[in-house]
Amino acid sequence: MESNKKNTVKHYWSGHFYANRIPFSVLSRGGMKKASMTVEGSLVLPVFLFAMILIGYIGVLIRCQDEMQWNLTRVAREASAEYGASGNKACKSTLYYKTKLMAYMEGSGSSVSLLRSRLLKENDEIDLIADYRVKLPFQLFTIQSCPFRQRVHTRGFVGVETRDNTENIDNTIVYVAATGKVYHRKQDCTYLKLSISQIQYGDLEAFRNQGGGKYKSCEKCCKSKSFTRSSTVWITNYGDRFHSSTSCSGIRRSVKALKRSEVGNRTPCSKCG
């Protein structure tokens, strides 16, 4: 009896150990797999959602830029036509453009700055520059908004020139420079009234004219001359030559008024017509 009892107890404990051990190992493997998938999912899902939101908001920013560009173009064209038709001096004020922009953007244009704009100052040109910021849907480090700058450049409408009355056209007064190859309709054209700047020859490489071009040596005053980095030269805002003297005929403008019929082979100015 004692022997059977001992065997029974031994069998019971060994069976109990066997029964507990195998299911535990099997369940442990399955539990580890499920836990691993849960951790990976919790890491990947926020990154995926963030990427989707970012891509979607890039589309929103592009739409905002398109809307702003269209409204700026619309305002500039309307100002050009109004100034040409009535000569309204309000078209030279940024308040005029800001009011129109706010009306077309339904009030959202109030945060737009037009302070960099140049309005009807040179050759009746409207250079409308808008600076504004678009708020991000979330703060990216210390960045809360994105800055943008958009630009529209046009000329004030000056009417349509009819060619029916050739006599009146021929008697129109135009302006030419002594050595110029074009004629100008306006005496205050920037090609006639040059803005002269004095710089050092060594800094010349960093300067560009209004058209973005580099400056080359003047054939009249710089011929067979050598320059050091500290040599003084003169440049103009719309010219493409640098000069060694302010008395050079290429930098001075001797302007005279002529009838259009007397301009000879000169062509119209690209800026003032």
Side-chain angles (χ1 to χ4, degrees):
M1 287 293 291
E2 288 187 17
S3 176
N4 291 335
K5 191 173 181 180
K6 288 180 179 179
N7 290 336
T8 302
V9 172
K10 184 177 182 182
H11 176 73
Y12 170 76
W13 281 110
S14 62
H16 181 70
F17 177 77
Y18 180 80
N20 286 341
R21 182 179 180 183
I22 293 179
F24 177 77
S25 62
V26 172
L27 289 173
S28 295
R29 293 193 204 101
M32 288 179 66
K33 289 181 181 179
K34 291 180 180 179
S36 176
M37 292 178 64
T38 303
V39 172
E40 290 174 359
S42 64
L43 292 175
V44 172
L45 184 60
V47 176
F48 174 78
L49 293 176
F50 179 79
M52 290 297 101
I53 293 173
L54 190 61
I55 292 172
Y57 205 72
I58 289 175
V60 174
L61 294 178
I62 294 174
R63 184 178 62 82
C64 288
Q65 285 184 296
D66 287 341
E67 182 181 354
M68 176 62 71
Q69 193 67 30
W70 164 246
N71 286 317
L72 285 174
T73 304
R74 182 179 179 183
V75 170
R77 286 178 177 175
E78 290 181 359
S80 172
E82 184 173 346
Y83 182 74
S86 63
N88 188 358
K89 292 184 179 180
C91 297
K92 296 184 178 182
S93 170
T94 55
L95 181 61
Y96 169 89
Y97 298 86
K98 188 72 174 288
T99 303
K100 279 185 169 290
L101 195 62
M102 288 179 62
Y104 294 144
M105 298 184 68
E106 299 179 352
S108 60
S110 59
S111 59
V112 179
S113 172
L114 302 176
L115 295 178
R116 296 179 183 270
S117 303
R118 295 182 60 83
L119 307 172
L120 300 167
K121 291 185 177 181
E122 295 179 355
N123 301 321
D124 292 336
E125 295 179 354
I126 299 174
D127 190 10
L128 201 57
I129 304 173
D131 292 303
Y132 63 98
R133 303 185 74 90
V134 178
K135 189 176 181 180
L136 296 175
F138 48 81
Q139 182 172 337
L140 188 61
F141 302 108
T142 58
I143 303 173
Q144 297 181 343
S145 59
C146 291
F148 290 96
R149 176 177 297 170
Q150 290 178 244
R151 187 174 193 171
V152 172
H153 186 273
T154 186
R155 288 186 62 189
F157 181 71
V158 293
V160 178
E161 181 180 78
T162 59
R163 300 184 182 275
D164 295 335
N165 194 343
T166 56
E167 182 179 351
N168 291 338
I169 295 175
D170 290 340
N171 290 330
T172 301
I173 299 299
V174 295
Y175 304 91
V176 297
T179 57
K181 297 180 180 179
V182 300
Y183 65 86
H184 308 264
R185 293 182 61 183
K186 295 187 177 182
Q187 192 173 6
D188 60 350
C189 177
T190 51
Y191 283 169
L192 291 176
K193 290 188 174 182
L194 298 178
S195 175
I196 304 173
S197 302
Q198 176 182 327
I199 63 171
Q200 289 187 337
Y201 179 78
D203 299 329
L204 190 63
E205 185 65 27
F207 284 84
R208 298 291 185 273
N209 59 23
Q210 289 288 346
K214 294 183 178 181
Y215 291 96
K216 300 176 182 178
S217 61
C218 173
E219 300 86 349
K220 298 177 181 180
C221 63
C222 296
K223 191 174 182 181
S224 69
K225 282 191 176 182
S226 59
F227 298 91
T228 63
R229 291 189 59 85
S230 60
S231 298
T232 299
V233 294
W234 286 266
I235 59 175
T236 60
N237 51 348
Y238 284 98
D240 60 356
R241 296 289 188 270
F242 66 86
H243 307 267
S244 61
S245 172
T246 54
S247 61
C248 175
S249 59
I251 204 172
R252 295 173 65 89
R253 288 289 185 266
S254 176
V255 181
K256 59 182 179 179
L258 296 174
K259 291 182 179 180
R260 187 166 173 179
S261 58
E262 300 173 349
V263 298
N265 295 326
R266 294 183 177 92
T267 57
C269 171
S270 60
K271 289 190 72 67
C272 64

